[in-house]
DNA sequence: TTGAAAGCGCTACCAT
DNA sequence: ATGGTAGCGCTTTCAA
């Protein structure tokens, strides 16, 4: 089967007009549902011509004149983990339902992010969503963007001095509710394990741990906070877990600052011969997709990625419709998802 | 802090030219690195003007004249699972490294897919990658696309009569190598559990199971193939697993047609008091990101999503550079990833 | 009810 | 070494 010759020029609105025996304007009107004052017959002729010629309007030409691209940019600054990618499963459908399309960028570094922003700006996207980790120190470059950039919504990154719509996560509150729950289940000695990350979210969870203990009048032991540094590997968390198990008194519950660490803790505890949750409760953080498949299924504090996506797209669409509205900042709860790895002591 | 007034018109190449005291042509030349025959001073003046005016060239205007958008479309037809999304982590960086950007679409149905294709065509993308499940029966509409569509690469969907570049997965071979391995470990009674899906890939794995048994002269028991229908839930797989455990002879190994099913099997087997892999080996399929976090870590046959992404973008770029090259079809192996859930009997 | 023509912001060709 | 200008494929007045 030979390839169809492709030296046929692209078909344009002009060709359609000619074929239908009408003017370009009329075709344009038909294309844009301005058909009130149009003969049924004219319309039909145009539709036929479009069909026959296999015509597809060029949105690049349209964009040039309308000054809109019907495109939204999304920059996700974490990719190693499927966690943030979940947002795509709600953002993309929402974007498309609103008759927009989505340019997707990842940002593995600040430099990468800035390059992505430039790209989106040159593409003249109508709006941008940032879904970020909080490792970057320098957000100032976003300041320069403000005058000329399209509407922006920022998820999970605090930019205090700028007027961006923002969505925050109540990381601290999530950890506190985990502690509330554990105390309710009779736990008194609750340890906290930090993962390898040095992000704000991690700090906030640690802060929540302290506040939670304090709230219930529980002693805070330094030795119950195991901190992994940036180089921490699974083997290190194993060692840390073992150290925790050897402590006196032995913690009856371990909070991990993310689900990956929790998985390692869970495995290590099981291999040490302890039962979960009979002997010890494990609670993760993030509600990663896999946390439901562990045995026992992991109790965890959810990072509201999906809900963030849902809200972000709504906020962005709103702002695109009304750029003068007041800047919005919302904080989403991090709900505790109780599954099987935790229980009464 | 009040918002900067945005009634200032967009700055264009004309403004830059004026500010720099040169012609638009010269600015355009500077923008496109045609600087050989250009005074250092002129170039500097232009760069200064760009800086001062905060000018960003419009890629929509550029696209209109060059007839290229520097954009690639990606349509992924499975989203419930983080599996396919992994491809993004290799495709997006590769796309951007080649100075393209990525429009990302999901397709939850054939209708959805066609809508996405239309969108991409109107956006005049320079190429399209399909990453598909194989549930769709009707691919014929892609035929009509061929004459006018940009280069296309298709992953994991067989379209025999068309001239698309395609990447296949050797699902059957993957299952066979799992059986090879199990036989080598002394297993003689190997069961197969199908998941809830009715896709070609699932069929191929089942076919591989039969071929593998045959290859080693092992008996094939119908009762060792547990088939879940579309309505199958975790509870059903549990029941099926229990049935398998009650069979005589009891299988010493269970192949699951995907990792989610494998997780349920694993859990059920453990709760039935059997040790993995001492009493029974479990092997999944897909190598989902979470499979490494189960306890024991899951041995699994990898669906080469990442490698597919890598190859797809290379193939696409190649075809975009040379549309007359022969159509390529490659088949990627599905390597067995040996972890902890399998071993000698 | 329909059409003519200007113009969106660039690039590319041809001059100078 | 630099500039003038046509034209990419549409939408949008304004006119008929």
């Amino acid at each position: 089967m030979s390839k169809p010759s492709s030296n046929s020029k692209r078909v344009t609105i002009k060709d359609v007009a000619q074929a239908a025996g009408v003017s370009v304007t009329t075709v344009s009107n038909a294309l844009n549902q301005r058909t009130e004052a149009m003969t049924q017959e004219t319309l039909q002729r145009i539709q036929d011509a479009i069909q026959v010629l296999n015509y597809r309007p060029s949105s690049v030409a349209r964009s040039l004149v309308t000054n809109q691209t019907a495109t939204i940019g999304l920059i996700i600054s974490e990719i190693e983990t499927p966690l943030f990618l979940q947002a795509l499963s709600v953002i993309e459908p929402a974007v498309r339902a609103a008759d927009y399309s989505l340019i997707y960028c990842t940002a593995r570094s600040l430099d990468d992010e800035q390059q992505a922003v430039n790209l989106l700006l040159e593409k003249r996207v109508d709006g941008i969503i940032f879904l970020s980790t909080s490792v970057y120190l320098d957000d100032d470059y976003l300041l320069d963007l403000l005058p000329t950039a399209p509407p922006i919504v920022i998820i999970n990154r605090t930019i205090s001095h700028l007027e961006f719509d923002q969505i925050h996560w109540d990381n601290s509150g999530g950890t506190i509710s985990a502690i509330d729950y554990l105390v309710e289940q009779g736990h008194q000695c609750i340890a906290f394990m930090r993962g390898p990350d040095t992000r704000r979210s991690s700090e906030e969870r640690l802060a929540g741990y302290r506040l939670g203990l304090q709230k219930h009048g529980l002693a805070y032991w330094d030795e119950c906070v195991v901190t992994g540094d940036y180089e921490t590997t699974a083997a290190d968390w194993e060692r840390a877990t073992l150290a925790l198990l050897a402590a006196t008194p032995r913690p009856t519950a371990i909070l991990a600052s993310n689900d990956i660490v929790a998985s390692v803790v869970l495995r290590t505890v099981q291999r040490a011969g302890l039962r979960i949750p009979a002997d010890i409760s494990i609670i993760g953080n993030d509600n990663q997709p896999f946390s439901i498949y562990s045995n026992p299924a992991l109790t965890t504090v959810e990072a509201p990625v999906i809900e963030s996506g849902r809200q972000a797209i709504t906020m962005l669409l709103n702002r695109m419709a009304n750029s003068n509205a007041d800047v919005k900042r919302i904080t989403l709860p991090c709900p505790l998802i109780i599954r099987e790895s935790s229980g009464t002591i």
Side-chain angles (χ1 to χ4, degrees), chain A residues 189 221 223-224 242-251:
Chain A
C189 185
W221 298 287
E223 62 269 25
C224 272
L242 260 11
L244 231 35
L245 295 183
T248 317
R250 191 178 75 201

Side-chain angles (χ1 to χ4, degrees), chain A residues 6 14 31 66 72-73 92 133 140 145 181 188 197 209 227 238-239 241 243 258 261 263 268 279-280 286 293:
Chain A
S6 58
K14 233 170 164 173
L31 250 26
T66 60
I72 286 172
E92 194 275 348
T133 59
D140 286 350
L145 257 45
Y181 157 80
Q188 299 268 28
D197 61 305
Y209 169 66
T227 310
E238 252 177 69
R239 224 168 294 127
T241 306
N258 70 54
V261 173
S263 293
T268 309
D279 297 321
I280 191 164
D286 286 348
Y293 297 118

Side-chain angles (χ1 to χ4, degrees), chain A residues 15-233:
Chain A
D15 302 317
V16 175
Q18 197 156 23
V22 298
S23 76
V24 175
T25 306
T26 305
V27 177
S28 175
N29 285 335
L31 250 26
N32 295 282
Q33 349 290 352
R34 284 185 292 268
T35 52
E36 325 83 31
M38 194 175 290
T39 306
Q40 178 58 37
E41 195 224 324
T42 308
L43 185 57
Q44 190 59 51
R45 286 221 310 282
I46 293 176
Q47 288 171 339
D48 290 349
I50 289 177
Q51 186 81 34
V52 168
L53 297 175
N54 193 18
Y55 168 70
R56 261 172 243 277
S58 158
S59 51
V60 0
R62 170 182 297 148
S63 291
L64 186 59
V65 24
T66 60
N67 206 24
Q68 299 193 122
T69 54
T71 302
I72 286 172
L74 171 65
I75 301 180
I76 296 192
S77 69
E78 187 181 60
I79 191 70
E80 319 83 44
T81 257
L83 180 63
F84 281 20
L85 282 181
Q86 290 180 95
L88 272 177
S89 67
V90 40
I91 290 179
E92 194 275 348
V95 165
R96 215 124 66 76
D99 278 318
Y100 283 78
S101 58
L102 218 222
I103 295 187
Y104 169 72
C105 302
T106 62
R108 274 159 241 76
S109 64
L110 182 56
D111 198 59
D112 213 23
E113 179 179 281
Q114 293 182 350
Q115 193 206 310
V117 169
N118 262 313
L119 184 110
L120 294 177
L121 257 21
E122 297 197 352
K123 288 280 179 195
R124 300 292 192 260
V125 296
D126 297 331
I128 303 180
I129 296 176
F130 287 83
L131 174 49
S132 306
T133 59
S134 39
V135 289
Y136 304 141
L137 301 174
D138 177 21
D139 291 324
D140 286 350
Y141 83 97
L142 286 174
L143 232 177
D144 306 330
L145 257 45
L146 207 46
T148 51
I152 291 177
V153 172
I154 293 179
I155 305 173
N156 192 33
R157 166 155 46 165
T158 297
I159 303 184
S160 52
H161 57 303
L162 294 188
E163 305 217 333
F164 296 111
D165 290 321
Q166 294 184 37
I167 297 176
H168 296 288
W169 298 342
D170 185 11
N171 286 303
S172 158
T175 305
I176 293 179
S177 61
I179 292 184
D180 287 345
Y181 157 80
L182 285 172
V183 168
E184 203 172 275
Q185 302 291 315
H187 294 267
Q188 299 268 28
C189 185
I190 302 166
F192 185 91
M193 265 192 80
R194 269 187 76 153
D197 61 305
T198 50
R199 300 171 198 159
R200 179 181 39 75
S201 54
S202 232
E203 302 289 346
E204 289 171 357
R205 287 165 199 167
L206 181 55
Y209 169 66
R210 293 186 173 160
L211 285 168
L213 292 187
Q214 191 179 318
K215 174 177 174 186
H216 293 284
L218 293 178
Y220 167 76
W221 298 287
D222 259 338
E223 62 269 25
C224 272
V225 180
V226 181
T227 310
D229 67 7
Y230 199 81
E231 297 293 316
T232 305
T233 66

Side-chain angles (χ1 to χ4, degrees), chain A residues 286-297:
Chain A
D286 286 348
N287 194 20
Q288 294 246 23
F290 67 79
S291 59
I292 199 169
Y293 297 118
S294 70
N295 181 24

